[in-house]
Amino acid sequence: MMSVGVIGLGDMGSGLAKNLIANGFETWGRDILPARHQAFADMGGHAAADTAEVGRNVHAVFVMVMKGAEAHEVILGDGGLAQSMAPGSSILLTATVKPSEARAIGAGLEGTGLQLIDSPVSGGYPGAQAGTLTMMAAGTDAAMAQARPVMEAVSANIHRVGSAPGEGQTVKACLQSLIGAQFSATFEAAALAAKAGVPGQVILDVFSTSSAGCGVVKNALEKIIDRKFEGTGSHINTMHKDLTISMALGEELGVPLHTAASAMQIFHAGRTRYPDGDNWTCTQVIEEIVGAELHRDGAKVTR
């Protein structure tokens, strides 16, 4: 059985680790927050002192950090995976970063004998915890074949979208432009319903069985009508960062992204007003403007 590592044990990485352990993989992990380290150890993982210790003990490692600079440091920095992993091992870049950042990491690994799979994921906290993530994987035939068992432990849908670093991140940027728009439209529709006095349960029932119904809309509406705006595993910083990547790719390629740009501004407002909130907290900003809140059993007038 392969030994596997996870760098970054937050909402997403902890789900990866949980499912790797459940599937019988010896799992090593590293995070900068002690509480996450302890939670990982409690679930049966080996909490490493540093990134190098993870690299020395595994055949494959998932890098699930927040930013491209962090991924670069973990993989190519002093004491990083490029220095500690044995040639022939696999690095799975599951963090969402700019395509250019993934390409730079790929270039930095040339000559190390390490295999990079550029594979951002979708499915959020629920998908990570349930092991049902969608993976957008770009890697060579050999890399994909070798990493397949560990990928199957955390994913229900593995899509081979390319062979070179950056190709997975490009697909993810396209996806996030769509998801951002779906979120934003849902937030606005929820505020519209609240102002009109429609109960949240009615909106959830109708939207969920309509042609617009999907997991993104249903999950967002459930959080809104139950007023769960923090601690749901979908911090607003992540989606805000992802939309920034989508917008940057559109600018780089000369593609107008009108709807994604509007979503970007809605998330920017939500992040500024409620910096500790999750994605759905954007709805609160709109509700404050219109003076009404959407609750499961009805709308509440606030002014």
Side-chain angles (χ1 to χ4, degrees):
M1 180 67 74
M2 294 173 65
S3 57
V4 188
V6 181
I7 305 295
L9 298 168
D11 291 330
M12 300 296 291
S14 64
L16 297 179
K18 169 187 171 183
N19 286 290
L20 290 166
I21 293 169
N23 279 273
F25 291 99
E26 180 182 352
T27 306
W28 291 74
R30 171 66 183 159
D31 196 280
I32 60 174
L33 297 181
R36 292 177 178 177
H37 244 195
Q38 187 58 53
F40 171 68
D42 290 344
M43 71 171 71
H46 299 283
D50 52 31
T51 298
E53 185 178 5
V54 175
R56 289 192 298 268
N57 285 282
V58 301
H59 304 98
V61 60
F62 291 88
V63 176
M64 187 61 89
V65 294
M66 183 68 170
K67 300 177 181 178
E70 295 169 343
H72 191 279
E73 180 64 22
V74 162
I75 297 171
L76 298 174
D78 186 32
L81 298 172
Q83 297 178 358
S84 57
M85 295 185 78
S89 301
S90 301
I91 297 174
L92 295 98
L93 180 59
T94 47
T96 298
V97 302
K98 294 178 181 178
S100 60
E101 292 172 325
R103 290 193 292 268
I105 290 171
L109 287 172
E110 290 179 2
T112 64
L114 297 176
Q115 303 183 101
L116 177 67
I117 298 177
D118 174 25
S119 184
V121 301
S122 184
Y125 178 77
Q129 296 296 318
T132 58
L133 291 169
T134 291
M135 304 190 82
M136 293 149 267
T140 65
D141 291 343
M144 291 292 295
Q146 179 172 300
R148 190 86 188 184
V150 298
M151 295 171 74
E152 289 178 343
V154 302
S155 173
N157 298 285
I158 301 171
H159 298 283
R160 176 94 180 273
V161 301
S163 59
E167 293 179 333
Q169 300 296 338
T170 298
V171 174
K172 179 65 182 289
C174 296
L175 175 63
Q176 293 305 84
S177 71
L178 172 61
I179 291 179
Q182 290 175 310
F183 273 143
S184 297
T186 303
F187 304 154
E188 291 180 338
L192 180 63
K195 189 65 174 179
V198 182
Q201 186 65 55
V202 171
I203 293 298
L204 176 62
D205 291 343
V206 171
F207 283 20
S208 297
T209 57
S210 74
S211 57
C214 65
V216 169
V217 172
K218 184 175 185 293
N219 184 47
L221 276 175
E222 287 178 336
K223 299 299 188 297
I224 292 165
I225 65 178
D226 286 332
R227 315 308 291 174
K228 294 180 178 179
F229 296 115
E230 291 186 17
T232 66
S234 298
H235 198 282
I236 195 170
N237 281 348
T238 302
M239 191 67 200
H240 183 273
K241 179 260 298 182
D242 290 358
L243 280 169
T244 300
I245 292 172
S246 299
M247 295 303 300
L249 183 61
E251 182 174 358
E252 176 187 334
L253 299 176
V255 178
L257 300 175
H258 301 293
T259 307
S262 296
M264 178 81 253
Q265 292 305 310
I266 290 174
F267 272 86
H268 188 61
R271 181 170 175 258
T272 299
R273 179 69 178 87
Y274 295 102
D276 296 322
D278 292 343
N279 291 329
W280 357 103
T281 201
C282 295
T283 308
Q284 291 182 283
V285 178
I286 307 173
E287 289 178 336
E288 288 169 4
I289 294 171
V290 303
E293 297 176 352
L294 189 66
H295 293 249
R296 185 175 286 272
D297 57 356
K300 176 182 177 182
V301 177
T302 57
R303 61 173 172 79

